Amino acid sequence: MIPARDRAGTGAVARGLGVLWETGTLTGQSDAQLLGRFIGGGEGSAEPAFRELLDRHGPMVKAVCRQVLGRASDADDAFQATFLVLVRKARSIRVGDSLAPWLYAVAVKTARRARFAASRQRTADVETLAEAVEGSADAAFELDVRPMLHEELARLPGKYREPIVLCHLEGKSHEEAARLLAWPVGTVSGRLSRGRQLLKARLERRGVAVPSAMLASSRWLSFPSATAELLSPPLVESTLAAAARLATAGTIPAAVQSLTQGVLRTMLLDKIKTVSLALVALGIGTGGVAWTLRASRAANPPEPQQAAPGAPPRVAVTKPETAPQAPNAALPGALPAQPQGPGNAGGMAGAMMSFTPAPPGKNYPNLVDPRHPMPVFRTQDILVVESPDRTSIQAMSLAVEGDRSGPAVWDRFTLPPGVTATAMCGFDTVAPILKGKQIDQVAAFSRYTGVWSVQKLTKPAEEEITPYLAPGGAIYQVGNDVYAFSARKGTWGALHLEGNEKPLVSASQSDIEVLQGNKLYVFSIKHGQWSPGVEMYLRPAGPAPDRTR
């Protein structure tokens, strides 16, 4: 007689063999085929198909979430939410042979949303900073830049983003990526190279310079190997269970549910925005066609038709030379009021007005060629220009808050003699790269206050000072002094460090952290002040992680 324990194991094996017999092997099937099995298959084929998608793309999704968020628990929640969004959108998405680009975009949206929520609950991620100290010399770079890198990668056009996702994040060869994307191998290689160049340029515009050693070896874009060790069996099983509960209107963890609903809402709003822009473009195009037709008819009026023999004579309707204009006749593109005559008593019946765009011609604005835009450096809400002699920088905020709200005005920062500047513009801060023989001050412009704030340096610097644009401000480091700027408050905070040990710097939307040795300093973006330093325990440094894989 078979023991009960062995009978249970035998039953599980039999069930697995039964599923394999009914659905066949899933290893060689494309992602589109697996998605079709998940949507249309029954209980016996839906779960294996979803598990296969988890096995294929789960390591990449988990690596992205961990790099954006840092903390493992937050990354697990974002990982589950990403695949729950897939469950919700499975019937509406259209993918080719690989689901990786779509999942990557959702993972970045989810991780960024989770990062914003986490930044409101904690001031400093000591665990992440400690891990950076134990790592290689590139650890601080990766800690600060990885979230920004994913943000910019997600904004690249699809034709450049997709090969980067497949080759750098999922480790596919150029030939494998070409097969999945249905492109020639040469096209994949060319777009991959161009995508890396665009990504590097976008990071540099945000004040992030890729270290030369990393650039030479291309390690700045070689993500840590996403091995199966990142996906623990409990995480996979809990994700499968959450997907099953979501499909049957069951309950899922509150944090995961909140993330899933938030990302779905964001995707819906993005879709509505895209459709609205398309409708606006269609309306403008239709208006242009209507004007063209009217202009053509005006230039080539129809010839008068001869009345047929025996037909009653036509009544000629003449328009007075000084006919009164309709109330809206002065509006650009409006049609004049129809003349009064038979069948149009009072001039109102059947009247029609058109508000199509005015045609190019007399008194029409001289529009800029989109290929050669205005020489203005700008973000969504900030405009920056240099004076003709380059002795000052002027900035304008279109989103000033609080008591300063009102008409947008320019604010000027005048450079010291012998100093030149190149403006670096972030989402809410402008901070210039300063060059000169003796630099004794730094400055930053806030989107919220609409003015420049100047900070005197404790010790003048020589040659060049480059800022780091944090999510909520800017950072300058001059020798042992760290100067942090809060865009929200529009104020500076100066921190002097003792000793010669090089500090590590990290930033989030809520704070800026500086770790020197085992002493941690935190600058609050909300309050614009440094906290006193606190000593912290650092785990003994082990062997440096292998980052060449």
Side-chain angles (χ1 to χ4, degrees):
M1 181 177 180
I2 301 176
R5 179 181 57 195
D6 294 342
R7 288 201 304 271
T10 303
V13 173
R15 285 193 298 273
L17 291 175
V19 170
L20 181 62
W21 179 265
E22 294 177 4
T23 63
T25 179
L26 304 177
T27 304
Q29 297 192 8
S30 68
D31 288 354
Q33 292 173 322
L34 291 175
L35 202 59
R37 281 182 175 272
F38 173 71
I39 296 171
E43 183 179 355
S45 60
E47 181 180 342
F50 191 74
R51 184 185 291 272
E52 179 67 20
L53 290 173
L54 268 176
D55 291 341
R56 288 185 185 182
H57 306 295
M60 180 270 292
V61 172
K62 179 62 185 296
V64 170
C65 294
R66 184 63 191 272
Q67 289 163 11
V68 173
L69 290 164
R71 188 178 290 265
S73 58
D74 294 340
D76 289 348
D77 290 344
F79 172 87
Q80 290 193 14
T82 299
F83 280 96
L84 293 187
V85 170
L86 173 62
V87 173
R88 284 293 195 196
K89 304 289 288 184
R91 294 183 180 276
S92 61
I93 61 177
R94 297 292 181 267
V95 297
D97 287 341
S98 178
L99 195 62
W102 187 89
L103 279 174
Y104 172 77
V106 176
V108 173
K109 287 180 185 290
T110 308
R112 289 184 61 193
R113 190 176 188 88
R115 182 181 175 89
F116 178 75
S119 68
R120 304 164 104 182
Q121 301 174 4
R122 67 176 71 97
T123 57
D125 195 341
V126 177
E127 176 186 347
T128 305
L129 286 172
E131 291 178 358
V133 173
E134 294 178 8
S136 66
D138 300 329
F141 171 83
E142 294 178 358
L143 177 63
D144 286 337
V145 174
R146 291 300 179 186
M148 194 182 302
L149 191 151
H150 283 294
E151 180 181 342
E152 292 298 338
L153 176 57
R155 292 175 178 172
L156 285 181
K159 64 180 181 180
Y160 299 124
R161 182 181 64 251
E162 291 177 3
I164 291 179
V165 170
L166 291 174
C167 295
H168 285 287
L169 275 70
E170 292 212 320
K172 305 290 186 185
S173 66
H174 291 196
E175 290 75 14
E176 291 174 318
R179 179 180 58 81
L180 293 172
L181 296 172
W183 297 349
V185 177
T187 301
V188 171
S189 302
R191 291 180 177 177
L192 194 61
S193 176
R194 177 59 177 161
R196 286 194 295 258
Q197 293 174 3
L198 289 174
L199 196 55
K200 175 179 176 292
R202 293 189 178 196
L203 288 174
E204 289 176 346
R205 282 202 299 268
R206 296 182 63 169
V208 178
V210 180
S212 57
M214 298 183 70
L215 180 60
S217 61
S218 297
R219 289 191 296 114
W220 66 286
L221 197 53
S222 297
F223 290 76
S225 179
T227 62
E229 297 176 358
L230 288 172
L231 291 183
S232 62
L235 178 60
V236 173
E237 297 303 324
S238 63
T239 304
L240 288 169
R245 288 194 293 269
L246 184 66
T248 57
T251 59
I252 58 178
V256 177
Q257 183 177 14
S258 176
L259 275 177
T260 305
Q261 292 176 346
V263 173
L264 287 170
R265 190 180 307 113
T266 300
M267 295 174 73
L268 176 61
L269 292 176
D270 290 344
K271 187 174 182 179
I272 293 174
K273 186 186 302 183
T274 302
V275 173
S276 300
L277 291 175
L279 290 176
V280 170
L282 179 61
I284 294 175
T286 305
V289 171
W291 174 83
T292 303
L293 290 175
R294 289 201 304 274
S296 176
R297 290 171 182 172
N300 303 285
E303 297 181 359
Q305 297 181 357
Q306 298 292 332
R314 292 177 177 268
V315 179
V317 179
T318 59
K319 181 177 179 181
E321 294 182 1
T322 58
Q325 293 189 354
N328 67 315
L331 293 175
L335 292 176
Q338 293 184 358
Q340 298 184 12
N344 192 19
M348 294 300 296
M352 179 180 66
M353 295 182 295
S354 173
F355 296 97
T356 55
K362 187 176 180 180
N363 297 327
Y364 188 72
N366 185 20
L367 299 181
V368 173
D369 187 341
R371 295 170 298 178
H372 305 285
M374 288 283 192
V376 179
F377 188 31
R378 65 169 301 160
T379 63
Q380 181 177 355
D381 293 320
I382 301 177
L383 284 76
V384 183
V385 297
E386 297 177 343
S387 62
D389 56 2
R390 304 196 67 185
T391 60
S392 65
I393 302 175
Q394 296 190 79
M396 174 191 290
S397 172
L398 305 178
V400 177
E401 299 180 354
D403 298 336
R404 295 180 178 270
S405 60
V409 296
W410 292 101
D411 192 55
R412 182 191 301 269
F413 167 55
T414 302
L415 299 169
V419 177
T420 60
T422 302
M424 303 294 294
C425 198
F427 171 73
D428 49 15
T429 308
V430 179
I433 299 175
L434 301 172
K435 296 183 180 181
K437 293 183 178 180
Q438 187 173 22
I439 307 170
D440 60 0
Q441 64 182 17
V442 293
F445 178 86
S446 168
R447 166 182 181 265
Y448 307 102
T449 64
V451 297
W452 287 92
S453 297
V454 178
Q455 170 67 39
K456 291 289 185 180
L457 301 183
T458 304
K459 181 180 179 181
E462 297 179 355
E463 295 185 359
E464 181 177 332
I465 308 178
T466 302
Y468 171 75
L469 294 179
I475 309 167
Y476 285 93
Q477 183 175 350
V478 182
N480 283 5
D481 297 315
V482 179
Y483 302 92
F485 176 73
S486 167
R488 179 64 64 178
K489 295 290 289 185
T491 58
W492 287 92
L495 172 67
H496 180 72
L497 302 173
E498 301 292 343
N500 297 322
E501 188 170 359
K502 188 175 181 180
L504 290 174
V505 180
S506 179
S508 69
Q509 292 179 336
S510 60
D511 60 8
I512 296 169
E513 303 100 14
V514 173
L515 182 66
Q516 185 188 39
N518 67 338
K519 204 164 187 177
L520 177 68
Y521 303 87
V522 178
F523 178 81
S524 170
I525 297 294
K526 180 178 180 180
H527 300 98
Q529 296 178 345
W530 286 100
S531 70
V534 294
E535 294 184 350
M536 56 180 286
Y537 171 73
L538 299 178
R539 288 173 291 180
D546 183 8
R547 300 180 183 273
T548 61
R549 294 183 298 172

